[in-house]
Amino acid sequence: MDEAKRIITDIKAGNIKPIYFLMGDEPYFIDRVAEYIQNNILAEHERDFNQTVVYGKDTTVPDVVSMAKRFPMMAERQVVIVKEAQDLARTIDKLESYAENPLSTTVLVFCYKYKKLDKRKKITKVIAKNGVVFESKKLYENQVVDWIQRVLKAKSFSIDPKAAHMLVEFLGTDLGKISNELTKLQLILPKGTTITPQAIEQNIGISKDFNVFELTKALGAKDAIKAYRICNYFIQNPKEKPLVVTITLLFNYFSKVMQYHGLIDKSEGYAASQLKVNKFFVKDYVAAARNYPMRKISYIIDKIRTADVKSKGVGASPLAQGDILKELLMQILN
C-alpha cells in the first residue's frame, strides 16, 4: 500500500524507471500503479504513437522486448504496458537480457497478477537493479478497514468503523470490489459525510442488523434473543447468507477470542495488533472472553468444526442447513 504510493510519488517527481514489474496476489495496487503510468507518463497527444498496451496471452516476451527497443516518435519516452503478464510466466526469463541494459527512453510495465518472480533468480535481481520490482500483497481484514478509512479521508469523507466492517464482511478483502462500492457512495453522498451503517444498508443493500458482525457481537455478549433473530434471517436468506461462509466467520471470531485469552498483554493497542482487528472492536473480544472461558472456547471451536463438516454433507447428516446453524448456536450459548 505505502510502496505503491511511493512509486507514484517518485514518478510525479520525475524519477521514472525503465522497467516496472508489478506482481503479487492483490491486483488492486498493480492496477492503480499501471493506470497512473498509462495516464500520466505521456501527454495525451503523445500517446497515439508512443503508448502500447498488450496482453500476455496475445504476445510473447521476445515481441515485448522488440517493442521496448523501439525509439519514441516526437516524444521523450514511449510506454509499453503488458497486462495479464502472468500468462508469460513460462518464458519470462527471456526478459533478462533486455533488463540488464534497458532503454532509458522506454517505460516497460508488466502487470503480473496472482504470481510473483522468485527473488533468488537472476531475472528478479536484474530488474530490481535497473527498475522497480513491486510485490502487491493481500491485506489482512483489519488492514482493509484502515485502507477504507484512508481512501475516504483523502476524498473528504469518513466512515463509521461498523460500516467499514460491514463492507469487509460482505465483499471480503477484494479491494477492487470495495473501491467500486466506495465510489458509488461518494457519488451519492455529499463531501464531508460520515458513512454510517444506515448509509451502507440504503445504498449498497447490506443489512445493518442482520449480518455476521452483529451475530458474533450478539454471541459474544450472550444475547440469545438477538442471536436467534439473526439466525432466522440467515435461514430465510440462504443465498445472501450461505452457511459455509457463516461457519467460517464464526470460526475466525472464536479463534480470535481464544487468542485474546492467551495474550499476556491485553492492552487495547497490543490486542488489536495481535488479533489483526481495528481497535474499535477490541472491547467486543474482551466481553466475549469474560463470557466464555478458555475451556468453553475450545468446546465451541470443536462444535464449529463439526458443523462445518455437516454443512458440506460429510457423513450424510440428515440435518437441513438451517438446523445445523440452530444446533450450533444452541451449543455456543448453552
Side-chain angles (χ1 to χ4, degrees):
M1 183 161 52
D2 291 334
E3 190 178 353
K5 289 177 67 176
R6 181 184 58 75
I7 292 170
I8 292 173
T9 300
D10 284 349
I11 293 171
K12 286 180 180 178
N15 182 16
I16 300 172
K17 301 295 184 181
I19 303 178
Y20 290 88
F21 203 96
L22 315 173
M23 63 185 190
D25 295 325
E26 179 47 73
Y28 178 83
F29 296 115
I30 293 173
D31 288 340
R32 294 293 76 75
V33 173
E35 185 179 87
Y36 185 84
I37 291 171
Q38 186 171 343
N39 294 334
N40 293 277
I41 294 285
L42 300 177
E44 191 171 350
H45 69 275
E46 296 174 326
R47 294 174 196 160
D48 286 344
F49 295 105
N50 297 290
Q51 187 152 281
T52 305
V53 179
V54 295
Y55 288 82
K57 67 178 181 179
D58 300 323
T59 191
T60 65
V61 175
D63 286 344
V64 171
V65 170
S66 179
M67 295 174 206
K69 286 183 175 179
R70 293 194 304 240
F71 288 97
M73 294 179 61
M74 296 176 289
E76 184 181 351
R77 293 182 178 87
Q78 70 152 339
V79 174
V80 178
I81 299 175
V82 186
K83 296 188 175 182
E84 308 300 334
Q86 66 273 12
D87 289 330
L88 299 172
R90 292 183 180 179
T91 57
I92 200 67
D93 285 349
K94 292 182 179 180
L95 181 64
E96 187 179 302
S97 178
Y98 176 80
E100 286 179 331
N101 189 27
L103 253 64
S104 61
T105 54
T106 293
V107 179
L108 177 58
V109 182
F110 285 86
C111 300
Y112 199 80
K113 297 177 181 178
Y114 312 111
K115 291 187 177 182
K116 56 186 178 181
L117 296 178
D118 187 335
K119 294 180 181 179
R120 299 167 297 179
K121 296 184 72 172
K122 185 179 179 182
I123 178 68
T124 315
K125 295 175 181 177
V126 170
I127 296 174
K129 178 182 177 183
N130 295 319
V132 170
V133 175
F134 165 59
E135 183 179 351
S136 183
K137 298 179 180 178
K138 281 281 187 185
L139 300 185
Y140 292 113
E141 183 178 314
N142 66 311
Q143 292 175 309
V144 175
V145 171
D146 292 341
W147 174 81
I148 290 170
Q149 292 171 331
R150 289 170 60 176
V151 167
L152 289 172
K153 184 177 180 181
K155 301 290 185 180
S156 301
F157 288 84
S158 58
I159 187 166
D160 182 283
K162 179 184 171 182
H165 195 91
M166 286 169 61
L167 283 173
V168 175
E169 181 204 320
F170 187 70
L171 301 169
T173 57
D174 187 323
L175 300 188
K177 289 181 180 178
I178 294 172
S179 179
N180 289 338
E181 296 301 335
L182 293 180
T183 299
K184 291 178 190 176
L185 290 169
Q186 291 166 46
L187 292 172
I188 295 167
L189 303 172
K191 281 193 174 183
T193 298
T194 295
I195 297 170
T196 62
Q198 288 82 1
I200 298 291
E201 183 175 54
Q202 291 166 8
N203 297 296
I204 299 180
I206 307 171
S207 172
K208 66 180 177 63
D209 296 316
F210 299 101
N211 54 68
V212 175
F213 170 73
E214 289 296 331
L215 176 59
T216 55
K217 189 175 180 181
L219 290 172
K222 283 207 163 183
D223 186 341
I225 293 174
K226 183 176 180 180
Y228 280 114
R229 189 188 307 134
I230 296 170
C231 171
N232 288 332
Y233 177 87
F234 284 12
I235 292 169
Q236 292 164 15
N237 297 274
K239 290 184 179 179
E240 181 187 339
K241 301 294 181 184
L243 179 60
V244 172
V245 175
T246 300
I247 287 174
T248 299
L249 294 172
L250 287 174
F251 177 80
N252 292 341
Y253 174 77
F254 282 103
S255 294
K256 284 185 169 67
V257 178
M258 176 176 276
Q259 190 179 353
Y260 179 82
H261 268 299
L263 294 178
I264 297 173
D265 179 356
K266 289 184 168 62
S267 63
E268 184 182 78
Y270 185 76
S273 68
Q274 293 303 301
L275 300 181
K276 294 183 172 59
V277 299
N278 188 285
K279 287 182 180 180
F280 178 83
F281 300 111
V282 171
K283 65 181 184 298
D284 295 331
Y285 291 96
V286 174
R290 287 198 195 103
N291 286 324
Y292 299 95
M294 182 71 88
R295 182 176 294 179
K296 177 66 174 179
I297 292 293
S298 298
Y299 168 84
I300 289 171
I301 288 176
D302 178 63
K303 293 305 177 184
I304 291 173
R305 286 176 173 149
T306 301
D308 181 53
V309 171
K310 288 180 180 178
S311 72
K312 294 169 181 173
V314 178
S317 169
L319 290 178
Q321 297 278 296
D323 291 333
I324 293 171
L325 183 57
K326 284 182 178 178
E327 181 184 59
L328 177 58
L329 260 60
M330 192 180 305
Q331 291 166 335
I332 292 171
L333 291 164
N334 289 345

